[in-house]
């Protein structure tokens, strides 16, 4: 019942042409190769979050004060995968979710899987107009301002139901986020890094998302 969609990429061009059979062609702004590789369904990347004990305690305190806090904490972000290995310092990091938000460490020191958000253009307390501010404000990770990391809740032992759903929507021509998969590790202070499991990497719906689909300023 749904038309098939084929996507043709031209690495030397400025556009991505999406042909939806029976509907006609849609022309998207160019999706860079590193962006496409980040959201590949053919591999699983690795991501590490390195956070100081003080910043981790601050993240937990933020949630104690307001479970749905939007406050970001500073982390070092490490990526290993086909999109190109990369290390970035002073990346914004917080939990996310509405009714699904979980505190990642309880009062007894037990870790819990939670949804997270990474913001690569977070400027924290830098002064606007300075070179340092501009550098962080313009920073992107594989052409993304931010990404969401979501663990597969419930009984999805396959770890791919959400990936499949997003892929289905994209193939049907819907402006849905791109997704990939990663193994997530978190290293707190001098402690041994903790494996949090396989997460779905989800493109954030923001200004960059709109620009990629509609061109111009995305308005």
């Amino acid at each position: 019942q749904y038309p098939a969609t084929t996507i043709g990429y031209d690495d030397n061009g400025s556009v991505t042409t999406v042909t939806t059979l029976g509907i006609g062609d849609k022309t998207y702004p160019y999706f860079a190769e590193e962006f496409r590789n980040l959201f590949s369904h053919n591999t699983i990347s690795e991501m590490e979050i390195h956070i100081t004990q003080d910043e981790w305690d601050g993240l937990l305190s933020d949630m104690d004060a307001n479970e749905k806090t939007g406050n970001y904490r500073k982390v070092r972000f490490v990526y290993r995968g086909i999109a190109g290995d990369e290390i970035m310092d002073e990346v914004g990091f917080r939990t996310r979710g509405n009714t699904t938000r979980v505190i990642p460490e309880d009062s007894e020191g037990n870790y819990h899987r939670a949804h997270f958000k990474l913001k690569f253009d977070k400027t924290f307390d830098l002064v606007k107009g300075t070179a340092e501010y501009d550098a962080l404000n313009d920073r992107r990770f594989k052409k993304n301002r931010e990404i969401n990391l979501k663990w597969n809740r419930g009984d999805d032992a396959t770890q791919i139901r959400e990936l499949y759903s997003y892929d289905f929507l994209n193939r049907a021509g819907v402006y849905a986020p791109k997704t990939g998969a990663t193994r997530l590790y978190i290293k707190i202070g001098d402690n041994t890094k903790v494996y949090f499991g396989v997460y779905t990497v989800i493109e954030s719906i923001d200004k960059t998302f709109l620009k990629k689909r509609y061109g111009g300023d995305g308005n």
Side-chain angles (χ1 to χ4, degrees), residues 45-209:
S45 65
E46 286 190 1
M47 293 184 182
E48 291 183 13
I49 306 299
H50 294 203
I51 183 170
T52 66
Q53 188 66 58
D54 285 345
E55 287 291 280
W56 182 258
D57 291 342
L59 182 148
L60 301 179
S61 296
D62 292 341
M63 291 193 68
D64 284 338
N66 177 10
E67 187 181 61
K68 298 179 182 178
T69 178
N71 193 40
Y72 287 92
R73 292 290 172 170
K74 293 181 182 179
V75 302
R76 165 175 281 191
F77 172 69
V78 180
Y79 170 85
R80 302 183 187 92
I82 62 171
D85 295 357
E86 193 164 350
I87 299 175
M88 303 174 76
D89 286 318
E90 297 195 357
V91 173
F93 177 73
R94 67 170 174 84
T95 58
R96 67 181 300 271
N98 189 14
T99 59
T100 60
R101 192 173 294 214
V102 175
I103 193 163
E105 183 183 0
D106 61 32
S107 58
E108 297 180 355
N110 300 309
Y111 296 115
H112 302 280
R113 300 184 76 185
H115 305 315
F116 298 107
K117 177 180 279 291
L118 288 161
K119 188 169 179 60
F120 305 103
D121 62 349
K122 181 66 176 173
T123 55
F124 294 102
D125 55 355
L126 293 176
V127 178
K128 189 174 183 178
T130 62
E132 293 82 1
Y133 177 96
D134 292 341
L136 279 185
N137 191 51
D138 293 337
R139 187 171 64 174
R140 303 290 183 266
F141 170 66
K142 314 305 181 189
K143 307 301 183 183
N144 292 273
R145 294 172 182 265
E146 55 190 34
I147 57 173
N148 299 317
L149 301 177
K150 190 173 182 182
W151 72 279
N152 296 277
R153 293 169 57 88
D155 60 352
D156 182 13
T158 69
Q159 305 286 305
I160 64 168
R161 290 179 187 172
E162 192 161 38
L163 283 173
Y164 173 83
S165 298
Y166 278 111
D167 185 55
F168 178 85
L169 291 170
N170 273 284
R171 288 174 183 272
V174 176
Y175 289 137
K178 301 296 184 182
T179 55
T182 194
R183 296 183 179 91
L184 179 65
Y185 299 84
I186 300 180
K187 187 179 189 307
I188 304 165
D190 295 327
N191 299 328
T192 303
K193 65 182 180 183
V194 177
Y195 177 53
F196 271 66
V198 175
Y199 273 65
T200 304
V201 183
I202 304 176
E203 180 188 9
S204 184
I205 300 178
D206 55 13
K207 185 184 294 185
T208 301
F209 175 96

